[in-house]
Amino acid sequence: VDDAIIDVENVFRRLRQWQADPRGRSALKVVYQASREVRASILSATAIIIIVFLPLFFLDSVEGRLLRPLGIAYIVATLASLLVAMTVTPVLCFLLLPQAATDAQEGRLLRWFGGRYRRALAWGLNSPGWVVGAAAGALLVTLIAVPSLGTAFLPAFNEGALTISVVTVPGTSLAEADAIGNRVERILLSRPGVRTTDRRQGRAELDEHAQGSNAAEIDVTLEPGIDRDLLTATLREAFSAVPGTNITIGQPIGHRIDHLLSGTRANIAVKIFGPDLRRLRDLGTEVRDRIQPIPGLVDLQLEQQSDVPELRVEADRGALARHGLTAADLTEIVDVALGGEQVGEILEEGRRTALVVRADEALRADRTAIGRLAVAAPTGRDIPLSQLARITVDRGPNTVSRENGQRKIVVQANVSGRDLGGAVAEIQRVVASQVRLPAGYHVEYGGQFEAQRESTRILLSVSVVVAAMIYLLLFSQFRSGRIAGLAMANLPLALIGGVAAVFATTGIVSVASLVGFVTLFGIATRNGILLLAHYRHLRRQGVSLREAVERGSEERLAAILMTALTAGLALIPLALGGGKPGNEIQTPMAIVILGGLLS
């Protein structure tokens, strides 16, 4: 409603002046001229509001999916309000306000505030050094304080549910893994506030998120109003008694966001890359032990890996050559005999069943039986596999994780009771100073921290372009670089209240908070445009600079106060409703905008 407020306030004030001195003008002409007087300011301000939201459309990961609809809704609503303010509002002003302006008196609140504002404005104009110095000092303090703010990717969601990841040693039998899952579920159901549990043990091999039966996911439904932080703290203490098992506590949406960002089930992923798997395990163990004392790290785990029994069939190339065979021939025969190969389909009662050919179960029972597997040679003889290859039983890794073609192992952790950025910075410092990496090995940091850093970089880099676009737009309106610069002076000053509001609440800046700052810059520029355009209008009428500033500020006071109060009152429910599900992203934005509106 900002555009309509500005138009109605100006029309109403001009109608009251017209009532005191008609000068032969009609009410229609007064309404037309008053609306036209603020039209350029409204158009420029609305264009700036739209421009400042452009950075949202350059976010392409999870945060883009979450925040882009907000930007679309805001821009569409702003354009709709502009259309109404420039068409319907002036007509309604002509129909409803001329008589109302005759009887109306200035409100008591505005009179009280206006009197004090006039005295403060007079003092400020008489002491410009104090005003500019105080603003510059407050801005300097704000810029110094910004690095001490914590950082996070997205605010913690209040989903009313938990997702528990339970991973035990690879190779654990299904019965044993099921017993561990039952034990975890009993711990969960013994806690007050836990309503139900639902467990998935393992995932199918062709699932896009395949995992063995040693891994389980438990969805936990909570009672409304439960203290989630207290519950998770007691659960972590109880889970520590489950031996040989990595248990991570997350939430359904948060859990999937973590998995999308880094492939892990936690906020932070310390990825160690290198060629040798055993060396990677040793380095992973060392990293985990070094960072364990860092405050705020919970669910700290090293990726579960172990050596499992495997049968090695190594081709004897000399023996193969004597019988006219190649290693490729041997590989194909072993693959088909032991793994099977689909050769067709059988249609039974309307259902298709794959027809798979493989060796008899007796020939796949053990190493000796596999050694008797007959391999057909080009000479027509059947040669036992044991005469063509060395068959041994060995142990090998249960899984080999890779990223961009490089072998890796992951140390993962969640963060509780502190900001994500501070925890990652401390992890980086400890790993750099206390862990020596051999040649060919390196560490990368992923998860929400990586996404937060990338999204912040995108927002800041695109915001520089947006600031240039705003300056060009202001220059095109005022035809003065000096006036355009004055309008943009509000951008850094709006930081003061926004940063102060973050300090007074969570002390953590997330991507949602950054979007709040983006919105705030548009609102702050709007107020500057309103004042400067009115100063220039009065100067063109021959009014002195001092009088133009005094009169212009007083006449625009009501419009600026009403737009700020309207926005502030609408944002208060969001700022206070951070604990309600669905408000998590909107609350940091509302807090930043409220603080910035005040400053």
Side-chain angles (χ1 to χ4, degrees):
V1 296
D2 282 3
D3 295 336
I5 287 175
I6 294 165
D7 190 59
V8 170
E9 188 277 332
N10 200 55
V11 169
F12 195 67
R13 183 163 42 79
R14 293 303 183 198
L15 282 172
R16 290 179 64 191
Q17 294 172 355
W18 171 73
Q19 296 284 1
D21 183 14
R23 294 186 185 179
R25 294 177 297 168
S26 65
L28 177 61
K29 190 171 184 180
V30 172
V31 171
Y32 170 73
Q33 290 176 339
S35 293
R36 189 180 177 190
E37 183 182 326
V38 295
R39 185 144 299 182
S41 300
I42 289 176
L43 279 170
S44 297
T46 303
I48 287 171
I49 288 286
I50 292 171
I51 288 172
V52 297
F53 265 86
L54 291 181
L56 287 188
F57 298 94
F58 288 85
L59 299 174
D60 54 2
S61 186
V62 174
E63 69 277 15
R65 298 288 184 90
L66 290 170
L67 295 171
R68 202 175 294 126
L70 183 90
I72 293 171
Y74 196 98
I75 289 172
V76 171
T78 302
L79 288 173
S81 75
L82 174 67
L83 180 64
V84 170
M86 297 185 72
T87 55
V88 178
T89 302
V91 174
L92 292 176
C93 286
F94 172 68
L95 294 175
L96 302 174
L97 292 189
Q99 184 59 40
T102 306
D103 306 326
Q105 293 183 352
E106 196 174 64
R108 283 182 297 175
L109 177 62
L110 192 59
R111 286 202 306 273
W112 177 86
F113 195 88
R116 282 153 180 78
Y117 177 64
R118 278 188 289 273
R119 290 195 293 273
L121 180 63
W123 177 86
L125 294 176
N126 292 328
S127 312
W130 284 101
V131 176
V132 174
L139 179 60
L140 180 62
V141 170
T142 300
L143 294 177
I144 293 172
V146 164
S148 63
L149 286 171
T151 57
F153 176 52
L154 292 171
F157 296 132
N158 183 16
E159 301 180 41
L162 298 176
T163 294
I164 313 295
S165 172
V166 182
V167 183
T168 188
V169 180
T172 303
S173 68
L174 178 59
E176 180 61 25
D178 183 45
I180 292 173
N182 281 327
R183 180 176 177 182
V184 172
E185 283 189 287
R186 285 196 299 273
I187 293 173
L188 287 165
L189 293 170
S190 68
R191 294 298 184 273
V194 173
R195 183 183 292 172
T196 60
T197 62
D198 175 27
R199 175 161 52 99
R200 295 179 296 280
Q201 194 76 43
R203 286 179 184 262
E205 289 183 5
L206 297 181
D207 190 286
E208 61 183 15
H209 178 196
Q211 58 186 18
S213 59
N214 64 304
E217 284 181 351
I218 304 174
D219 290 331
V220 183
T221 307
L222 303 178
E223 298 285 353
I226 188 72
D227 187 338
R228 187 166 50 85
D229 293 336
L230 178 61
L231 175 62
T232 53
T234 58
L235 285 175
R236 286 190 176 104
E237 185 178 354
F239 290 156
S240 63
V242 182
T245 305
N246 287 345
I247 302 177
T248 305
I249 301 176
Q251 296 187 90
I253 296 175
H255 175 86
R256 280 150 184 80
I257 288 176
D258 289 332
H259 221 285
L260 281 169
L261 294 175
S262 65
T264 64
R265 300 174 177 85
N267 302 155
I268 302 171
V270 184
K271 305 173 186 177
I272 309 164
F273 293 88
D276 185 79
L277 292 176
R278 295 187 185 280
R279 189 77 182 102
L280 282 176
R281 289 183 198 173
D282 294 339
L283 288 171
T285 303
E286 184 179 359
V287 168
R288 182 196 61 194
D289 295 342
R290 295 290 188 186
I291 67 176
Q292 193 163 19
I294 293 176
L297 292 188
V298 295
D299 303 331
L300 179 62
Q301 302 169 6
L302 175 65
E303 183 180 344
Q304 284 276 34
Q305 286 193 353
S306 65
D307 290 332
V308 295
E310 63 182 20
L311 192 74
R312 285 181 177 271
V313 180
E314 298 182 63
D316 183 340
R317 295 180 182 273
L320 288 171
R322 286 194 299 273
H323 292 284
L325 294 166
T326 65
D329 296 331
L330 183 72
T331 301
E332 184 178 3
I333 290 168
V334 171
D335 184 38
V336 173
L338 302 184
E341 181 175 326
Q342 182 175 341
V343 295
E345 289 183 333
I346 299 173
L347 187 65
E348 290 182 310
E349 299 179 357
R351 297 179 61 185
R352 295 182 182 274
T353 304
L355 179 61
V356 177
V357 173
R358 64 183 178 189
D360 186 80
E361 185 72 31
L363 289 173
R364 297 184 288 119
D366 53 38
R367 182 175 61 172
T368 304
I370 291 171
R372 293 196 297 269
L373 185 67
V375 178
T379 59
R381 292 180 57 198
D382 288 340
I383 314 298
L385 180 62
S386 59
Q387 295 183 18
L388 302 173
R390 289 181 293 276
I391 304 172
T392 57
V393 176
D394 202 350
R395 298 186 70 83
N398 66 298
T399 183
V400 180
S401 297
R402 288 186 178 87
E403 189 172 313
N404 297 325
Q406 294 179 294
R407 292 180 174 183
K408 70 169 184 179
I409 196 167
V410 178
V411 179
Q412 65 183 40
N414 284 323
V415 177
S416 178
R418 68 177 300 182
D419 69 293
L420 178 67
V424 173
E426 196 164 347
I427 290 173
Q428 290 175 320
R429 189 166 55 251
V430 169
V431 171
S433 61
Q434 299 182 22
V435 179
R436 295 192 61 182
L437 297 174
Y441 294 79
H442 69 280
V443 175
E444 293 180 8
Y445 298 87
Q448 290 195 16
F449 162 76
E450 187 180 27
Q452 177 257 330
R453 184 175 57 183
E454 178 63 16
S455 58
T456 301
R457 185 192 64 79
I458 292 172
L459 284 174
L460 292 179
S461 57
V462 177
S463 294
V464 172
V465 179
V466 166
M469 293 172 64
I470 292 174
Y471 180 82
L472 291 173
L473 184 64
L474 292 170
F475 183 82
S476 68
Q477 179 184 347
F478 293 114
R479 299 294 176 185
S480 167
R482 187 178 182 182
I483 297 178
L486 279 172
M488 293 193 69
N490 255 351
L491 297 186
L493 296 177
L495 273 174
I496 299 169
V499 171
V502 174
F503 261 111
T505 51
T506 60
I508 296 176
V509 175
S510 64
V511 175
S513 306
L514 292 177
V515 175
F517 280 109
V518 165
T519 312
L520 178 60
F521 291 157
I523 296 171
T525 309
R526 173 197 288 271
N527 292 341
I529 291 172
L530 284 175
L531 287 170
L532 289 167
H534 198 44
Y535 296 160
R536 193 174 65 156
H537 171 74
L538 293 173
R539 289 283 285 161
R540 285 174 174 172
Q541 293 180 349
V543 177
S544 68
L545 178 59
R546 168 85 182 216
E547 186 182 353
V549 171
E550 288 181 336
R551 272 184 56 189
S553 300
E554 291 175 19
E555 289 178 356
R556 283 285 177 262
L557 175 64
I560 291 175
L561 274 180
M562 282 194 287
T563 54
L565 284 172
T566 303
L569 290 171
L571 289 167
I572 285 173
L574 291 179
L576 297 178
K580 296 180 180 178
N583 276 5
E584 298 91 344
I585 290 180
Q586 299 173 92
T587 296
M589 293 174 55
I591 288 170
V592 167
I593 297 171
L594 278 173
L597 279 175
L598 188 61
S599 69

